[in-house]
Amino acid sequence: IRPASVPSEVIAAYRELMRLHTNLTDEAARYKKEIRDLLVVLFPEYTQIFKNPTGPTALALLHSYPGAAAIAAAGVDVISAVLQRVAPRKYGRHTAEELVGLAKQSCASPLAVAARGRSLQILIGQLLQTQASLSELEQEVTTLMQGDEGVAGLQSVPEFGRHTVAVLRAELGEVERFQGSRQVVAYAGLDVTVRESGKWKGQRKLSKRGSGTLRRFLFLAALGSVRGRSASAFGAYYRALGARGLRGYRALVAVMRKMLVVAYHLLKSGERYDPTKVWRGVPVTTSS
């Protein structure tokens, strides 16, 4: 029987905050998709003015006037006043004239306009509330990190954003309970298993045990190191793997494992990040 691990107060707080943060982030993404879907039938031309229809100004206007019919009925003066109140430096009467003109000539569906408009208003309200809750959570996480010396090593890794650092701290917990990096990799579900039954053997695949949130943030961090920072040691490691014939998703998973092992070492040792220990193939500068 394996001994159970009870998280400390700090780790439990990280887990509570970051797991809720992840859930609310997914909810916000779902609300944005539903808002965009409703706009296709209520005012498809809206994106000609607001390329991001879920931005603050676009949402504020739609919350009051949900759709082409409502915007056309309100008129230029009213829409202009709303825009001036919400974003006076960016939008003015000219934008209102364009918007009302598009609304009057819109190919929006005439069916269930009132019901769909009300649905849009409710979705916008839900999205705004979720975004406000996310802001509160981020403040709580920031306060928690400021009083936690254990994250100093993780924060020294340029490829780890604030949320990635918090998730690593939350999901790995007290790393002293692991006997080595292999256990950490298995704990995160990044180890390879073979599905088999009797004489049948399947393909080698990731076990995907443990925290899906941890794998998700490692994937995003790995993807960012490959696509973004030219001086990233993890990016150099990815390119070296490609030169050896390991490419695409398999190479990205290898970078995720490397990031996880680095995070484990930093949490256990209390050291600062040294990119030369990740990959020595290219010169990289250490973070201050």
Side-chain angles (χ1 to χ4, degrees), residues 76-96:
V76 173
D77 291 339
V78 174
I79 300 301
S80 179
V82 173
L83 293 175
Q84 283 290 322
R85 175 171 50 84
V86 178
R89 296 183 179 180
K90 192 171 183 180
Y91 301 103
R93 187 173 182 85
H94 177 68
T95 303

PDB file of all heavy atoms in Angstrom, residues 76-96:
ATOM      1  N   VAL A  76     -28.070  56.357 -34.790  1.00  0.00           N
ATOM      2  CA  VAL A  76     -26.671  56.786 -34.715  1.00  0.00           C
ATOM      3  C   VAL A  76     -26.369  57.521 -33.412  1.00  0.00           C
ATOM      4  O   VAL A  76     -25.332  57.289 -32.770  1.00  0.00           O
ATOM      5  CB  VAL A  76     -26.320  57.675 -35.926  1.00  0.00           C
ATOM      6  CG1 VAL A  76     -24.915  58.265 -35.766  1.00  0.00           C
ATOM      7  CG2 VAL A  76     -26.422  56.894 -37.218  1.00  0.00           C
ATOM      8  N   ASP A  77     -27.241  58.418 -32.989  1.00  0.00           N
ATOM      9  CA  ASP A  77     -26.970  59.225 -31.794  1.00  0.00           C
ATOM     10  C   ASP A  77     -26.805  58.360 -30.552  1.00  0.00           C
ATOM     11  O   ASP A  77     -25.882  58.567 -29.745  1.00  0.00           O
ATOM     12  CB  ASP A  77     -28.091  60.240 -31.572  1.00  0.00           C
ATOM     13  CG  ASP A  77     -28.104  61.323 -32.643  1.00  0.00           C
ATOM     14  OD1 ASP A  77     -27.057  61.517 -33.295  1.00  0.00           O
ATOM     15  OD2 ASP A  77     -29.160  61.972 -32.838  1.00  0.00           O
ATOM     16  N   VAL A  78     -27.693  57.396 -30.387  1.00  0.00           N
ATOM     17  CA  VAL A  78     -27.642  56.530 -29.202  1.00  0.00           C
ATOM     18  C   VAL A  78     -26.406  55.648 -29.224  1.00  0.00           C
ATOM     19  O   VAL A  78     -25.685  55.519 -28.218  1.00  0.00           O
ATOM     20  CB  VAL A  78     -28.921  55.673 -29.117  1.00  0.00           C
ATOM     21  CG1 VAL A  78     -28.797  54.656 -27.973  1.00  0.00           C
ATOM     22  CG2 VAL A  78     -30.142  56.546 -28.903  1.00  0.00           C
ATOM     23  N   ILE A  79     -26.127  55.027 -30.368  1.00  0.00           N
ATOM     24  CA  ILE A  79     -24.961  54.148 -30.488  1.00  0.00           C
ATOM     25  C   ILE A  79     -23.679  54.939 -30.295  1.00  0.00           C
ATOM     26  O   ILE A  79     -22.726  54.489 -29.645  1.00  0.00           O
ATOM     27  CB  ILE A  79     -24.955  53.421 -31.841  1.00  0.00           C
ATOM     28  CG1 ILE A  79     -26.216  52.565 -31.995  1.00  0.00           C
ATOM     29  CG2 ILE A  79     -23.707  52.572 -31.992  1.00  0.00           C
ATOM     30  CD1 ILE A  79     -26.387  51.506 -30.923  1.00  0.00           C
ATOM     31  N   SER A  80     -23.638  56.151 -30.838  1.00  0.00           N
ATOM     32  CA  SER A  80     -22.468  57.007 -30.682  1.00  0.00           C
ATOM     33  C   SER A  80     -22.238  57.346 -29.220  1.00  0.00           C
ATOM     34  O   SER A  80     -21.090  57.360 -28.738  1.00  0.00           O
ATOM     35  CB  SER A  80     -22.641  58.291 -31.493  1.00  0.00           C
ATOM     36  OG  SER A  80     -21.531  59.137 -31.323  1.00  0.00           O
ATOM     37  N   ALA A  81     -23.325  57.604 -28.486  1.00  0.00           N
ATOM     38  CA  ALA A  81     -23.198  57.919 -27.062  1.00  0.00           C
ATOM     39  C   ALA A  81     -22.640  56.735 -26.278  1.00  0.00           C
ATOM     40  O   ALA A  81     -21.818  56.910 -25.370  1.00  0.00           O
ATOM     41  CB  ALA A  81     -24.561  58.330 -26.511  1.00  0.00           C
ATOM     42  N   VAL A  82     -23.071  55.528 -26.631  1.00  0.00           N
ATOM     43  CA  VAL A  82     -22.571  54.322 -25.958  1.00  0.00           C
ATOM     44  C   VAL A  82     -21.079  54.155 -26.220  1.00  0.00           C
ATOM     45  O   VAL A  82     -20.284  53.892 -25.309  1.00  0.00           O
ATOM     46  CB  VAL A  82     -23.340  53.075 -26.417  1.00  0.00           C
ATOM     47  CG1 VAL A  82     -22.702  51.811 -25.833  1.00  0.00           C
ATOM     48  CG2 VAL A  82     -24.797  53.164 -26.012  1.00  0.00           C
ATOM     49  N   LEU A  83     -20.681  54.317 -27.461  1.00  0.00           N
ATOM     50  CA  LEU A  83     -19.275  54.170 -27.822  1.00  0.00           C
ATOM     51  C   LEU A  83     -18.409  55.233 -27.139  1.00  0.00           C
ATOM     52  O   LEU A  83     -17.301  54.949 -26.699  1.00  0.00           O
ATOM     53  CB  LEU A  83     -19.102  54.254 -29.343  1.00  0.00           C
ATOM     54  CG  LEU A  83     -19.719  53.104 -30.153  1.00  0.00           C
ATOM     55  CD1 LEU A  83     -19.583  53.371 -31.649  1.00  0.00           C
ATOM     56  CD2 LEU A  83     -19.058  51.775 -29.795  1.00  0.00           C
ATOM     57  N   GLN A  84     -18.919  56.444 -27.065  1.00  0.00           N
ATOM     58  CA  GLN A  84     -18.182  57.518 -26.403  1.00  0.00           C
ATOM     59  C   GLN A  84     -18.016  57.235 -24.917  1.00  0.00           C
ATOM     60  O   GLN A  84     -16.990  57.559 -24.318  1.00  0.00           O
ATOM     61  CB  GLN A  84     -18.911  58.848 -26.601  1.00  0.00           C
ATOM     62  CG  GLN A  84     -18.733  59.457 -27.981  1.00  0.00           C
ATOM     63  CD  GLN A  84     -17.313  59.965 -28.193  1.00  0.00           C
ATOM     64  OE1 GLN A  84     -16.688  60.501 -27.286  1.00  0.00           O
ATOM     65  NE2 GLN A  84     -16.803  59.790 -29.397  1.00  0.00           N
ATOM     66  N   ARG A  85     -19.011  56.608 -24.326  1.00  0.00           N
ATOM     67  CA  ARG A  85     -18.943  56.297 -22.894  1.00  0.00           C
ATOM     68  C   ARG A  85     -17.984  55.146 -22.613  1.00  0.00           C
ATOM     69  O   ARG A  85     -17.234  55.170 -21.639  1.00  0.00           O
ATOM     70  CB  ARG A  85     -20.340  55.938 -22.379  1.00  0.00           C
ATOM     71  CG  ARG A  85     -20.380  55.468 -20.939  1.00  0.00           C
ATOM     72  CD  ARG A  85     -21.809  55.336 -20.436  1.00  0.00           C
ATOM     73  NE  ARG A  85     -22.632  54.566 -21.345  1.00  0.00           N
ATOM     74  CZ  ARG A  85     -22.691  53.226 -21.341  1.00  0.00           C
ATOM     75  NH1 ARG A  85     -21.941  52.531 -20.488  1.00  0.00           N
ATOM     76  NH2 ARG A  85     -23.482  52.582 -22.165  1.00  0.00           N
ATOM     77  N   VAL A  86     -17.986  54.150 -23.489  1.00  0.00           N
ATOM     78  CA  VAL A  86     -17.183  52.945 -23.245  1.00  0.00           C
ATOM     79  C   VAL A  86     -15.736  53.117 -23.696  1.00  0.00           C
ATOM     80  O   VAL A  86     -14.804  52.750 -22.979  1.00  0.00           O
ATOM     81  CB  VAL A  86     -17.819  51.732 -23.953  1.00  0.00           C
ATOM     82  CG1 VAL A  86     -16.955  50.488 -23.740  1.00  0.00           C
ATOM     83  CG2 VAL A  86     -19.227  51.492 -23.438  1.00  0.00           C
ATOM     84  N   ALA A  87     -15.544  53.660 -24.897  1.00  0.00           N
ATOM     85  CA  ALA A  87     -14.183  53.798 -25.455  1.00  0.00           C
ATOM     86  C   ALA A  87     -14.069  55.115 -26.209  1.00  0.00           C
ATOM     87  O   ALA A  87     -14.035  55.129 -27.443  1.00  0.00           O
ATOM     88  CB  ALA A  87     -13.858  52.619 -26.366  1.00  0.00           C
ATOM     89  N   PRO A  88     -14.019  56.239 -25.499  1.00  0.00           N
ATOM     90  CA  PRO A  88     -14.048  57.555 -26.150  1.00  0.00           C
ATOM     91  C   PRO A  88     -12.839  57.845 -27.035  1.00  0.00           C
ATOM     92  O   PRO A  88     -12.941  58.616 -27.983  1.00  0.00           O
ATOM     93  CB  PRO A  88     -14.108  58.528 -24.957  1.00  0.00           C
ATOM     94  CG  PRO A  88     -13.529  57.767 -23.812  1.00  0.00           C
ATOM     95  CD  PRO A  88     -13.933  56.347 -24.035  1.00  0.00           C
ATOM     96  N   ARG A  89     -11.698  57.249 -26.743  1.00  0.00           N
ATOM     97  CA  ARG A  89     -10.499  57.546 -27.525  1.00  0.00           C
ATOM     98  C   ARG A  89     -10.396  56.724 -28.802  1.00  0.00           C
ATOM     99  O   ARG A  89      -9.609  57.033 -29.687  1.00  0.00           O
ATOM    100  CB  ARG A  89      -9.252  57.308 -26.670  1.00  0.00           C
ATOM    101  CG  ARG A  89      -9.153  58.234 -25.462  1.00  0.00           C
ATOM    102  CD  ARG A  89      -7.864  57.980 -24.703  1.00  0.00           C
ATOM    103  NE  ARG A  89      -7.739  58.872 -23.550  1.00  0.00           N
ATOM    104  CZ  ARG A  89      -6.709  58.861 -22.716  1.00  0.00           C
ATOM    105  NH1 ARG A  89      -5.710  58.000 -22.911  1.00  0.00           N
ATOM    106  NH2 ARG A  89      -6.670  59.700 -21.700  1.00  0.00           N
ATOM    107  N   LYS A  90     -11.172  55.669 -28.889  1.00  0.00           N
ATOM    108  CA  LYS A  90     -11.026  54.757 -30.024  1.00  0.00           C
ATOM    109  C   LYS A  90     -12.193  54.817 -30.999  1.00  0.00           C
ATOM    110  O   LYS A  90     -12.017  54.661 -32.205  1.00  0.00           O
ATOM    111  CB  LYS A  90     -10.852  53.324 -29.509  1.00  0.00           C
ATOM    112  CG  LYS A  90     -10.397  52.348 -30.572  1.00  0.00           C
ATOM    113  CD  LYS A  90     -10.028  51.011 -29.946  1.00  0.00           C
ATOM    114  CE  LYS A  90      -9.501  50.043 -31.003  1.00  0.00           C
ATOM    115  NZ  LYS A  90      -9.122  48.737 -30.427  1.00  0.00           N
ATOM    116  N   TYR A  91     -13.391  55.031 -30.479  1.00  0.00           N
ATOM    117  CA  TYR A  91     -14.576  55.013 -31.337  1.00  0.00           C
ATOM    118  C   TYR A  91     -15.368  56.307 -31.160  1.00  0.00           C
ATOM    119  O   TYR A  91     -15.418  56.879 -30.072  1.00  0.00           O
ATOM    120  CB  TYR A  91     -15.474  53.816 -31.003  1.00  0.00           C
ATOM    121  CG  TYR A  91     -14.786  52.477 -31.169  1.00  0.00           C
ATOM    122  CD1 TYR A  91     -14.340  51.761 -30.058  1.00  0.00           C
ATOM    123  CD2 TYR A  91     -14.578  51.945 -32.436  1.00  0.00           C
ATOM    124  CE1 TYR A  91     -13.710  50.547 -30.199  1.00  0.00           C
ATOM    125  CE2 TYR A  91     -13.942  50.715 -32.592  1.00  0.00           C
ATOM    126  CZ  TYR A  91     -13.511  50.026 -31.474  1.00  0.00           C
ATOM    127  OH  TYR A  91     -12.877  48.814 -31.614  1.00  0.00           O
ATOM    128  N   GLY A  92     -16.005  56.727 -32.246  1.00  0.00           N
ATOM    129  CA  GLY A  92     -16.805  57.949 -32.208  1.00  0.00           C
ATOM    130  C   GLY A  92     -18.024  57.847 -33.108  1.00  0.00           C
ATOM    131  O   GLY A  92     -18.495  56.757 -33.421  1.00  0.00           O
ATOM    132  N   ARG A  93     -18.509  58.992 -33.545  1.00  0.00           N
ATOM    133  CA  ARG A  93     -19.732  59.035 -34.337  1.00  0.00           C
ATOM    134  C   ARG A  93     -19.563  58.334 -35.697  1.00  0.00           C
ATOM    135  O   ARG A  93     -20.488  57.700 -36.186  1.00  0.00           O
ATOM    136  CB  ARG A  93     -20.155  60.496 -34.554  1.00  0.00           C
ATOM    137  CG  ARG A  93     -21.512  60.611 -35.238  1.00  0.00           C
ATOM    138  CD  ARG A  93     -22.000  62.036 -35.304  1.00  0.00           C
ATOM    139  NE  ARG A  93     -23.324  62.091 -35.913  1.00  0.00           N
ATOM    140  CZ  ARG A  93     -24.457  61.910 -35.279  1.00  0.00           C
ATOM    141  NH1 ARG A  93     -24.438  61.661 -33.961  1.00  0.00           N
ATOM    142  NH2 ARG A  93     -25.620  61.971 -35.896  1.00  0.00           N
ATOM    143  N   HIS A  94     -18.376  58.446 -36.261  1.00  0.00           N
ATOM    144  CA  HIS A  94     -18.152  57.802 -37.562  1.00  0.00           C
ATOM    145  C   HIS A  94     -18.345  56.288 -37.454  1.00  0.00           C
ATOM    146  O   HIS A  94     -18.974  55.670 -38.333  1.00  0.00           O
ATOM    147  CB  HIS A  94     -16.737  58.108 -38.061  1.00  0.00           C
ATOM    148  CG  HIS A  94     -16.405  57.431 -39.358  1.00  0.00           C
ATOM    149  ND1 HIS A  94     -17.011  57.783 -40.551  1.00  0.00           N
ATOM    150  CD2 HIS A  94     -15.548  56.412 -39.642  1.00  0.00           C
ATOM    151  CE1 HIS A  94     -16.535  57.011 -41.518  1.00  0.00           C
ATOM    152  NE2 HIS A  94     -15.652  56.169 -40.997  1.00  0.00           N
ATOM    153  N   THR A  95     -17.842  55.701 -36.384  1.00  0.00           N
ATOM    154  CA  THR A  95     -18.021  54.267 -36.176  1.00  0.00           C
ATOM    155  C   THR A  95     -19.495  53.932 -35.988  1.00  0.00           C
ATOM    156  O   THR A  95     -19.991  52.933 -36.518  1.00  0.00           O
ATOM    157  CB  THR A  95     -17.229  53.795 -34.946  1.00  0.00           C
ATOM    158  OG1 THR A  95     -15.853  54.129 -35.112  1.00  0.00           O
ATOM    159  CG2 THR A  95     -17.356  52.299 -34.753  1.00  0.00           C
ATOM    160  N   ALA A  96     -20.198  54.779 -35.243  1.00  0.00           N
ATOM    161  CA  ALA A  96     -21.633  54.557 -35.025  1.00  0.00           C
ATOM    162  C   ALA A  96     -22.398  54.617 -36.344  1.00  0.00           C
ATOM    163  O   ALA A  96     -23.305  53.807 -36.581  1.00  0.00           O
ATOM    164  CB  ALA A  96     -22.174  55.595 -34.049  1.00  0.00           C
TER     165      ALA A  96
END
